[in-house]
Amino acid sequence: MARLYFDHNATSPLRPAAREAVVAALDAGNASSIHAEGRAARAKIENARSLLARHFGVKPELVVFTSGATEAANTVLRPALVGLACENLLIGGGEHPCVASGHGFAATARVALDGDGRLDFTDLREKLGFSRAPMLALQAANNETGVIQPVAEAAALVHEAGGVVVCDAVQALGRVDCAFAATGADVLFVSSHKIGGPKGVGAAIFSRRAVIPAQAFVRGGGQERGHRGGTENVAGVAGFAAAFQEVLAKGADEMTRLRALRDRIEADVTALAPEAIVFGAGAPRLPNTLAFALPGLAAETLVAALDVEGVAISSGSACSSGKVSASAVLASMGVPPEIARCALRISLGWPNNEQEGVAFPSILARVRQRMRNRA
Ligand code: PLP
C-alpha cells in the first residue's frame, strides 16, 4: 500500500490543477511590464485577487499577496493602521508562533483557553477592561487540535471596546466558513499550501482601508499598490488561485467525506485504545483534524515508528527547525505535560480515502503493541 499521508495541517500536497497553473505561469512575464507578456502575468495576478476578493466580500484592492501567512502576520499585527492606532495586542492562547512571536506590539497579553481549547470569555472581558483601542489576534481554527474559535462573539466584544480583530484563517480556509461575514474579523490572513496550493504564497485581506497597516509590508518597487514591493510571484499566485477555485467547487463535499473519515478513525482509535484522550472533543472542530494522546507512549517515538510503517502523522508538540518543544496550545488548555508529550495529530486532506482510514487503526494497534512490549 502507498504511504498514508495524514499531515495536511502541516502542508497539503499540490492539487493537480494547482500544479498545472504553476507550471503554466513559471515562465510568465514581469507583471509590472506594460508589454503583452507583462499584461498576461498581470492578468493572472488580478484574476487571483478578484477570486479571493469575491469570496471574502471585499474590493480587490483590499487583498495583498504575501510570501505566506507568516509574512502576513508579521505585517498586519502592527499598532499603526491607516485609520487607527492600536495600543495593545491581545493574543489568543492557541495562536501560531507567527502570531505570538511575529507581532510588533510593545504591550501584549495572552487570553486564556478553556479545557476544550476555546477562548475563555471571562479572561477576554477582563483583558478588554484594561485596553483602549486593542487589537485581538484570534485564529479561526487551531492547527494542532482543530478547535474552532468563536471569532464572531469575540469580535463583537472587541468592537465594543473600540478595537479590531485580526484572524489567522490559515487552517479554516476551505474547511469552515471564515469570510468576514462569518467571523466579524477586520483583517484575515491565509496561506496557499494548506489548501493544496504551492508553498511560499498567501494573502492578507482587509475588510476596509482603515485597518491596513500604515507602513508598507515591504518597501521597494511599489508593487501590490505600494503595500508590498518586489516582483510578484506569478506562478505561486496562479497556483494558489487554482487550488482555491477547486476548494470552492469541491470543498463542501470534500469536508463531508473527510469528517466521516475522521469520525471513523476517531471511533476506531478510541475503541482499540480506550485510554486515548481526544483533545477539544467538547468543542466544534475542523472536520479533518483529530488530536489525541495515548498516555504512556511518547509521541515522538510513535510518530517515528509510524513513519517506518509508512504513515505520516504529526506529534502535537511544536516542531520547527528540528527542535521539539512542549505544545504551548495544549499547555494553555491545561493539559498536563506528561499527557502533552504523548499528543498526536492526524489531519486529513483532499487525496485521503476510506481505504486509508480503514488501514490506519490496525497499523497504530501494531505499533502501540510493539512499543508496549518494549516498555
Ligand atoms: N497559522 C497557522 C494556524 C498555521 O498552521 C501556519 C502553518 O503552519 C501558519 C500560520 C504559517 O503559514 P505559512 O506556512 O504560510 O507561513
Side-chain angles (χ1 to χ4, degrees):
M1 188 170 183
R3 280 179 65 83
L4 304 186
Y5 184 80
F6 286 172
D7 203 12
H8 290 259
N9 288 10
T11 197
S12 200
L14 206 55
R15 291 174 189 263
R19 182 184 302 274
E20 232 173 77
V22 168
V23 170
L26 275 174
D27 206 18
N30 184 325
S32 299
S33 303
I34 54 169
H35 47 58
E37 289 81 355
R39 291 199 308 276
R42 167 65 49 209
K44 286 184 191 293
I45 291 192
E46 295 316 319
N47 288 343
R49 199 189 310 281
S50 297
L51 182 70
L52 283 171
R54 257 197 320 278
H55 176 75
F56 284 97
V58 296
K59 291 192 176 138
E61 58 263 33
L62 295 170
V63 176
V64 179
F65 288 111
T66 64
S67 66
T70 300
E71 182 195 317
N74 272 257
T75 311
V76 301
L77 296 166
R78 301 277 141 185
L81 309 179
V82 166
L84 183 72
C86 292
E87 296 198 347
N88 60 326
L89 178 68
L90 304 180
I91 305 172
E95 296 306 301
H96 188 272
C98 73
V99 169
S101 313
H103 64 81
F105 280 79
T108 65
R110 210 72 189 190
V111 184
L113 300 181
D114 67 18
D116 271 318
R118 301 255 286 176
L119 201 71
D120 178 335
F121 274 69
T122 308
D123 196 37
L124 175 64
R125 281 196 185 86
E126 193 179 313
K127 302 245 155 81
L128 284 173
F130 297 117
S131 309
R132 276 195 308 135
M135 179 180 280
L136 171 69
L138 183 61
Q139 59 195 186
N142 184 263
N143 45 304
E144 291 181 34
T145 60
V147 168
I148 296 169
Q149 290 297 345
V151 181
E153 289 92 316
L157 292 179
V158 172
H159 291 155
E160 241 172 65
V164 296
V165 174
V166 173
C167 180
D168 172 348
V170 168
Q171 296 292 346
L173 189 68
R175 297 176 180 155
V176 289
D177 188 1
C178 57
F180 288 111
T183 58
D186 301 280
V187 180
L188 292 157
F189 58 87
V190 292
S191 177
S192 152
H193 71 105
K194 309 290 184 179
I195 62 162
K199 293 166 190 62
V201 58
I205 306 162
F206 302 93
S207 61
R208 58 196 185 280
R209 203 180 109 72
V211 292
I212 296 178
Q215 279 224 339
F217 290 31
V218 177
R219 286 182 290 275
Q223 287 90 343
E224 294 293 283
R225 292 191 168 79
H227 299 307
R228 183 181 189 265
T231 303
E232 293 90 337
N233 174 6
V234 185
V237 168
F240 182 14
F244 191 51
Q245 211 146 22
E246 190 163 299
V247 160
L248 291 178
K250 300 186 184 163
D253 289 347
E254 246 170 46
M255 285 307 130
T256 306
R257 192 171 61 73
L258 295 181
R259 183 188 292 281
L261 199 55
R262 188 275 310 268
D263 289 349
R264 180 189 179 134
I265 293 173
E266 183 170 330
D268 286 351
V269 166
T270 49
L272 82 87
E275 76 280 14
I277 296 167
V278 175
F279 301 115
R285 283 176 293 158
L286 291 176
N288 75 319
T289 307
L290 168 62
F292 67 102
L294 300 179
L297 299 185
E300 292 319 312
T301 319
L302 205 47
V303 166
L306 283 168
D307 186 35
V308 172
E309 295 280 339
V311 180
I313 67 166
S314 163
S315 75
S317 330
C319 178
S320 59
S321 315
K323 281 184 293 177
V324 177
S325 51
S327 159
V329 178
L330 295 178
S332 301
M333 292 164 64
V335 175
E338 67 276 15
I339 301 293
R341 60 184 273 281
C342 302
L344 301 165
R345 179 189 69 192
I346 289 173
S347 51
L348 307 173
W350 64 271
N352 293 135
N353 59 42
E354 178 147 8
Q355 204 190 351
E356 295 175 316
V358 172
F360 174 74
S362 53
I363 302 174
L364 179 66
R366 200 163 63 231
V367 170
R368 169 175 170 264
Q369 195 53 50
R370 211 162 55 219
M371 282 176 69
R372 282 182 148 189
N373 292 347
R374 248 184 249 146

